[in-house]
Amino acid sequence: MDTQEIVWLVVAVVVLLALVGLAVWLMNKKKHERAEAERAERAHKAAELRQEADQHAQVLPDAELRAKEEEVRAERLRREAAQADERAKEAQVGYQQQAALHEDRLREADRLDPGHSATTGTDTVNGTAVDSTPDATPDAYEQGYQDGRREETPGTNPDESAGGNHRA
């Protein structure tokens, strides 16, 4: 090989290496541009999310206040329910005491006058059982009868001439 061929061969290798280097440089540049574009897009998306978060942060105090108000309201209702439950228990105890007192009086009356048994009859007025014995309150019985809401049970009609505890 002569010198001229060697020179051409060296020039061709240098040009080839330059072209490969140029191609690598262009690919790296494109890769870098893509990475920059993705980074800018992520930064833009992050800015949008931060802006939305700031807007939502403005309503957080109101939501927190409403939540605390509802907690306070729920606690108040729980206390009221507990108080109502206690009143209901007290009323039930009072009823049981009154019923026991009534039974005691009937037993005492039976003990004093064993020939006359003090039986208890009940009528229904407005859906509520009402004592129809002679010592019952006439107002509740008569009110139910006058309103036409008194439910008749066999043997409790005052117009019937059959025996039993009836109002006159």
Side-chain angles (χ1 to χ4, degrees), residues 2-59:
D2 66 354
T3 350
Q4 196 176 5
E5 288 179 353
I6 293 176
V7 170
W8 282 111
L9 185 62
V10 170
V11 169
V13 170
V14 170
V15 168
L16 187 61
L17 287 175
L19 288 174
V20 169
L22 181 64
V24 168
W25 179 75
L26 287 174
M27 286 188 335
N28 281 340
K29 183 179 176 186
K30 208 168 220 187
K31 188 179 192 181
H32 181 68
E33 287 173 357
R34 238 182 288 133
E36 280 297 316
E38 287 176 4
R39 202 170 306 130
E41 186 178 329
R42 283 194 312 265
H44 178 71
K45 181 69 174 173
E48 287 177 355
L49 290 173
R50 285 186 186 96
Q51 185 179 12
E52 286 178 21
D54 288 344
Q55 290 173 350
H56 287 283
Q58 293 174 358
V59 298

Side-chain angles (χ1 to χ4, degrees), residues 70-84:
E70 288 301 316
E71 270 183 43
V72 168
R73 180 174 176 261
E75 182 59 33
R76 180 179 48 83
L77 290 174
R78 280 191 286 272
R79 278 194 311 270
E80 288 175 6
Q83 291 170 351

Side-chain angles (χ1 to χ4, degrees), residues 6 16 39 43 53 58-59 69 73 77 99 101 108-109 112 116-117 120 128 130 135 143 145 151 153:
I6 293 176
L16 187 61
R39 202 170 306 130
Q58 293 174 358
V59 298
E69 287 172 349
R73 180 174 176 261
L77 290 174
L101 181 62
E108 181 65 19
L112 292 175
H116 181 269
S117 177
T120 305
T128 305
V130 177
D135 62 53
Q143 181 64 38
Y145 190 78
E151 295 179 16
T153 56

